[in-house]
Amino acid sequence: AERWAGSLAGADAQVPVATPEDEAEAADLAAALNEWHAAAQRPTGPVRTCFRLMEPVEPAGESWLVGLALQSTDDPSLLLPAADIWSGAAAGGWAAAGIRHPEEDLLAGLGAASRLFTELDEGLRTPAPEAVALDTEGAFRFLKQTAPLLSGAGFGVLLPDWVRKARLGLKITTRSRGGGGGGGIGAEAKFGMNDLVDFRYDLAVGDESLDADELEELARLKVPLVRLRGQWVELDDRHLQAALKFLQRSRTGTMEAAEALRDGLRSIDDDLPVVAVDADGWLGDLLSGQAERRLAPVATPAGFRGQLRPYQERGLAWLSFLGDLRLGAILADDMGLGKTVMMLALLAKAGEAPTGPTILLCPMSLVGNWQREAARFTPDLAVHVHHGADRLSGEELTDALNRADLVITTYGLAARDQEALGQVRWSRVVCDEAQNIKNAATRQARAVRALPAEARIALTGTPVENRLTDLWSIMEFVSPGLLGPAERFRTRYVVPIERNGDEEAAARLRQVTGPFILRRQKTDKTIISDLPDKLEMKVWCNLTPEQASLYQATVADMMERIEAAGEGIERRGLVLATMAKLKQVCNHPAHLLGDGSRLDGRSGKLARLEEICDEIIAEGDKALCFTQYAEFGRMLQPYLAARLGCPVSYLHGGTPKKQRDAMVSQFQEGTDPSLFILSLKAGGTGLNLTAASHVIHIDRWWNPAVEDQATDRAFRIGQRKDVQVRKFVCVGTLEERIDAMIEEKKALAERIVGTGEGWLTELSVADLRKVMELSPDAVSE
């Protein structure tokens, strides 16, 4: 903070961030400043002073006016002009709304605003100011300087509609020259970024083209605001000079579709932005942002073992379309809409005409999940998992990579084995949980971007987690250079949008990135109608080395005791105790040890729980988290509350009824996203928790009926949302093997499993060893 304060007096107020400690301190400082800024913007009462810019009725001979008024903070459309305030008009209505002294409110606001709007000084010398008169240059200064300052300080500002619409820039017109580009994106004809298109550049204001004579006349007038064809237009000398220079270049000809796309999505230079695009064929569909809607859905590929839902077929068509154009894509569907399934379907479709292997990068916790989902949905694909201490290297690795259809590895290994992975020419690079490359400067983000590929795909439910720079980093991966250098992106988008709330800059950014981002939400009725009422899924987790060591030691100790116990009640008790210990190890080492030690970074299951809960909270949803161990719930509650920054309640068997009822009521009626941790026995029956649309079974009861009862706390009459149910399973442990046994006998599960876990005690020693032994793929790096 001291370095930043000192830099404010220098030429550059930025403070370099060089180390992780610097980054953490800078984030804390930014959060404090943002909170202070937000507090300064919040109105302190039911009204605020408002300034409304009004253009002259006739372009010459009259002044611009900034009308003064009071504006309701609850409903900004309600205005009380200064003239009505001084005359006492409508005073009764405002008094009923609690505004007793509007004159004093207005004058107090004007006094506070005068330091930002110096032209107010003259108006405040009159007893009843109604408006401030400005010349044309003063009106332009109000638009560009004063209005943003007033808005940022919490005052109301109303500007004419034309301010956001009428800008001098380029209009690009392209027409396909036969071939694939003319058929539209739903056509069967081939198309590509090398297609030739005829182009024409025109100078325009909005959709209105300008000729050279009109432009020269505007330049001669040398005024920043002019009336052109019945509408006011904002001009400055920089734009005019750029436009005059543009007239000297060739404005018609042919170009490749790729160049037309780039020009249509971003400014040719900073001084002459693209304000309109008129394109036909697939290029026009892409630039219009209608690609996903106009695409003909792709039927479920023959090599895909499953049935895609209609919105997933549209998503597959969109991914395939951009891939054929060798364009990057960000699939940013909400969690639970099937990004994994769509990606595997794309690989199955690509397998019908293979062009090379695909490399998929993901967090360590998801490697097993991808491997199993690929085996389930696309068993014909050759999958190679590059992971673990015994992973291949050298020529053996290169041969394996080139023979594979899908290579699964982690972000950490992308950086560590960058040279070896860079030897392969990938058909596509896919980043799952792409927020892992949101910091473009990290070694792993640079390594991922360096992988050679024809197409790049990012999968993420949260393309912007905290800052717009997250989006820049992901876009730099999928479409390098489109958003320009990081510093240019910061000045053009980050500062105007995050600091000033600039809607125009936000619209420009959406226009540039829109063709490459597919974002569907569960709240969209066209999506929700396609979803099942209850979507169940497994979440595969890995053990940390510490967990693996504890797991193996527990198995060795307990199996020796079980063998020595012979038969009878003692043996059954030891088996159940062993199961409990191993499940506790899978949860967290501190759960088994009960030593009150730290939780962070020691459990693969806890890391995955944090990731999923973070996404749930970011979506504004609520979740139920069930554990059969009350002591583990006690450990999780304060930890998750601190990590996620949201309300986290915990209900267990010892919770008094009054407190229990209050917790349920707060969870059901509260509007903020939150988590509710429940012990399975205390919360598994008798509760109505339909405010939750997510259910997480952290550790398994291994009795489908018991788990379904717990799930039914959310999935019951009164539930208005589809419910996503996640069951955590640790890879390569007894959790995975018992889950597989239940799945194999699901039709008879209730009869076989019964109402508890007693059936496990009847397994032979040999079978118990098979169930409990630790597999090599269980352990993370």
Side-chain angles (χ1 to χ4, degrees):
E2 289 80 2
R3 288 164 56 198
W4 173 75
S7 70
L8 289 176
D12 186 358
Q14 295 186 71
V15 179
V17 176
T19 67
E21 291 76 13
D22 280 351
E23 186 172 355
E25 290 189 22
D28 290 341
L29 175 62
L33 291 172
N34 287 334
E35 184 177 349
W36 168 78
H37 181 251
Q41 288 184 303
R42 284 194 291 269
T44 57
V47 292
R48 64 180 179 180
T49 301
C50 181
F51 301 88
R52 181 177 184 178
L53 180 65
M54 298 175 285
E55 67 265 27
V57 178
E58 295 295 333
E62 293 188 31
S63 298
W64 293 73
L65 294 177
V66 177
L68 310 178
L70 285 179
Q71 183 182 44
S72 169
T73 55
D74 293 330
D75 183 359
S77 65
L78 296 178
L79 289 176
L80 181 60
D84 291 346
I85 292 174
W86 306 128
S87 67
W94 283 81
I99 312 303
R100 305 297 179 186
H101 305 289
E103 303 91 343
E104 295 178 8
D105 292 330
L106 178 62
L107 287 173
L110 294 176
S114 61
R115 62 188 177 87
L116 304 174
F117 186 15
T118 55
E119 288 87 345
L120 265 177
D121 289 343
E122 187 66 30
L124 290 176
R125 293 174 183 172
T126 64
E130 298 179 6
V132 176
L134 302 173
D135 58 18
T136 301
E137 290 186 359
F140 183 72
R141 189 165 56 251
F142 183 88
L143 278 175
K144 305 302 290 184
Q145 300 176 12
T146 308
L149 289 174
L150 290 171
S151 179
F155 295 98
V157 176
L158 299 177
L159 302 176
D161 290 340
W162 54 262
V163 171
R164 301 191 182 279
K165 298 177 182 177
R167 298 292 174 90
L168 175 63
L170 291 179
K171 178 180 179 181
I172 301 177
T173 303
T174 69
R175 291 292 178 265
S176 304
R177 304 187 72 196
I185 60 180
E188 294 297 328
K190 290 292 183 182
F191 47 77
M193 295 299 281
N194 295 324
D195 290 345
L196 291 178
V197 296
D198 293 320
F199 74 87
R200 175 182 176 86
Y201 288 132
D202 292 296
L203 292 167
V205 174
D207 293 329
E208 294 287 334
S209 299
L210 298 179
D211 57 34
D213 292 339
E214 287 175 309
L215 183 66
E216 290 174 359
E217 177 63 16
L218 293 176
R220 184 189 65 78
L221 292 173
K222 293 185 178 181
V223 289
L225 293 170
V226 296
R227 196 172 181 87
L228 178 67
R229 298 183 186 174
Q231 67 175 350
W232 286 92
V233 179
E234 174 192 328
L235 298 174
D236 61 27
D237 188 62
R238 184 185 61 181
H239 287 149
L240 283 170
Q241 294 306 316
L244 290 170
K245 183 180 178 180
F246 171 78
L247 291 177
Q248 301 171 14
R249 62 174 280 187
S250 173
R251 287 174 281 157
T252 60
T254 60
M255 68 169 76
E256 289 186 351
E259 186 180 354
L261 177 64
R262 285 192 295 269
D263 286 352
L265 291 176
R266 63 183 178 190
S267 302
I268 287 182
D269 57 51
D270 287 341
D271 295 332
L272 202 58
V274 174
V275 295
V277 177
D278 178 9
D280 68 344
W282 63 262
L283 182 60
D285 291 332
L286 191 61
L287 290 172
S288 69
Q290 299 297 313
E292 190 260 339
R293 296 181 183 277
R294 294 280 298 275
L295 280 166
V298 172
T300 303
F304 184 83
R305 304 291 175 85
Q307 182 60 50
L308 297 178
R309 299 180 177 279
Y311 74 87
Q312 292 172 334
E313 291 181 340
R314 296 195 299 271
L316 173 59
W318 181 79
L319 287 170
S320 181
F321 166 66
L322 290 184
D324 287 341
L325 291 173
R326 299 189 302 282
L327 294 175
I330 299 177
L331 181 57
D333 283 350
D334 268 356
M335 177 173 55
L337 291 184
K339 294 188 287 291
T340 301
V341 167
M342 281 180 273
M343 191 65 240
L344 290 172
L346 178 68
L347 296 180
K349 181 176 182 296
E352 298 169 359
T355 58
T358 291
I359 184 169
L360 184 139
L361 303 123
C362 62
M364 177 57 236
S365 58
L366 294 183
V367 170
N369 187 69
W370 273 100
Q371 187 178 9
R372 284 160 179 78
E373 294 295 270
R376 175 186 175 190
F377 290 107
T378 53
D380 297 334
L381 290 181
V383 178
H384 176 76
V385 177
H386 181 65
H387 162 65
D390 58 346
R391 63 187 182 276
L392 301 179
S393 60
E395 292 184 5
E396 193 177 6
L397 172 61
T398 302
D399 290 343
L401 298 181
N402 283 306
R403 289 196 307 269
D405 296 312
L406 172 63
V407 175
I408 303 171
T409 190
T410 66
Y411 287 106
L413 288 180
R416 196 176 308 168
D417 296 347
Q418 179 180 356
E419 184 177 352
L421 297 176
Q423 299 299 314
V424 179
R425 182 65 189 181
W426 304 100
S427 65
R428 63 180 63 79
V429 177
V430 181
C431 286
D432 189 22
E433 300 292 345
Q435 59 271 24
N436 282 273
I437 57 170
K438 67 182 181 182
N439 187 342
T442 62
R443 181 186 171 203
Q444 72 179 28
R446 294 197 305 269
V448 170
R449 292 199 301 271
L451 291 172
E454 294 183 8
R456 299 165 181 269
I457 298 174
L459 308 177
T460 176
T462 54
V464 181
E465 284 197 316
N466 299 307
R467 300 172 296 175
L468 282 177
T469 49
D470 299 351
L471 178 61
W472 180 88
S473 183
I474 297 175
M475 283 297 301
E476 186 66 8
F477 161 69
V478 300
S479 188
L482 180 72
L483 295 178
E487 185 56 34
R488 179 178 177 225
F489 180 78
R490 181 180 179 276
T491 56
R492 295 199 68 193
Y493 297 110
V494 176
V495 172
I497 295 172
E498 292 186 349
R499 184 177 300 175
N500 303 325
D502 189 332
E503 288 296 329
E504 180 187 352
R508 285 202 316 270
L509 182 58
R510 285 193 297 271
Q511 182 183 17
V512 174
T513 60
F516 307 98
I517 300 177
L518 180 58
R519 171 73 169 157
R520 275 101 52 100
Q521 296 176 295
K522 298 190 296 288
T523 53
D524 186 338
K525 291 182 180 180
T526 63
I527 302 301
I528 284 182
S529 62
D530 291 328
L531 285 176
D533 293 329
K534 180 170 65 174
L535 180 64
E536 295 192 0
M537 62 198 85
K538 304 286 173 56
V539 176
W540 304 98
C541 310
N542 291 87
L543 302 183
T544 63
E546 180 187 5
Q547 285 177 292
S549 177
L550 275 174
Y551 188 99
Q552 288 178 311
T554 302
V555 170
D557 176 55
M558 297 301 290
M559 285 305 302
E560 184 177 340
R561 296 170 62 184
I562 290 171
E563 288 187 55
E567 301 296 330
I569 191 169
E570 181 183 359
R571 180 186 187 278
R572 288 196 292 272
L574 283 172
V575 171
L576 290 177
T578 304
M579 297 289 180
K581 287 177 179 290
L582 294 180
K583 286 203 289 186
Q584 290 169 0
V585 173
C586 290
N587 279 349
H588 199 285
H591 184 193
L592 174 71
L593 300 174
D595 57 0
S597 56
R598 67 177 179 84
L599 299 186
D600 187 34
R602 300 170 63 196
S603 165
K605 185 179 285 189
L606 179 58
R608 193 72 186 107
L609 178 64
E610 286 183 61
E611 291 170 1
I612 289 175
C613 288
D614 190 49
E615 194 166 345
I616 290 171
I617 297 305
E619 291 181 357
D621 290 344
K622 297 183 179 184
L624 307 180
C625 300
F626 286 101
T627 174
Q628 69 180 97
Y629 299 104
E631 63 271 23
F632 192 48
R634 292 189 187 94
M635 296 163 62
L636 288 177
Q637 191 271 332
Y639 177 80
L640 290 178
R643 298 286 289 198
L644 301 174
C646 71
V648 179
S649 302
Y650 174 48
L651 187 151
H652 55 88
T655 306
K657 183 180 183 305
K658 186 175 181 181
Q659 183 180 352
R660 172 191 178 109
D661 293 343
M663 291 165 64
V664 171
S665 176
Q666 182 180 6
F667 184 81
Q668 284 289 93
E669 298 172 8
T671 57
D672 293 332
S674 59
L675 300 183
F676 202 156
I677 302 172
L678 307 100
S679 67
L680 196 63
K681 289 185 178 179
T685 58
L687 294 177
N688 186 337
L689 297 169
T690 52
S693 54
H694 299 264
V695 177
I696 299 172
H697 294 282
I698 301 171
D699 42 56
R700 308 291 301 282
W701 186 251
W702 294 328
N703 179 347
V706 174
E707 287 188 339
D708 288 345
Q709 279 185 329
T711 297
D712 287 347
R713 299 315 95 217
F715 185 62
R716 59 193 296 124
I717 295 175
Q719 177 58 262
R720 299 182 180 275
K721 298 181 179 180
D722 296 295
V723 177
Q724 297 180 37
V725 183
R726 291 173 173 80
K727 299 177 180 181
F728 280 28
V729 180
C730 280
V731 173
T733 71
L734 84 162
E735 289 193 344
E736 180 180 19
R737 297 189 187 95
I738 296 177
D739 175 75
M741 293 168 66
I742 293 176
E743 289 295 326
E744 290 169 6
K745 305 172 182 178
K746 203 155 192 177
L748 302 174
E750 191 169 340
R751 180 151 50 103
I752 294 172
V753 177
T755 58
E757 298 175 346
W759 62 283
L760 294 167
T761 67
E762 305 305 321
L763 296 176
S764 68
V765 171
D767 288 338
L768 279 174
R769 285 191 182 278
K770 291 179 182 178
V771 168
M772 294 181 183
E773 69 180 355
L774 191 67
S775 299
D777 61 346
V779 190
S780 64
E781 297 169 310

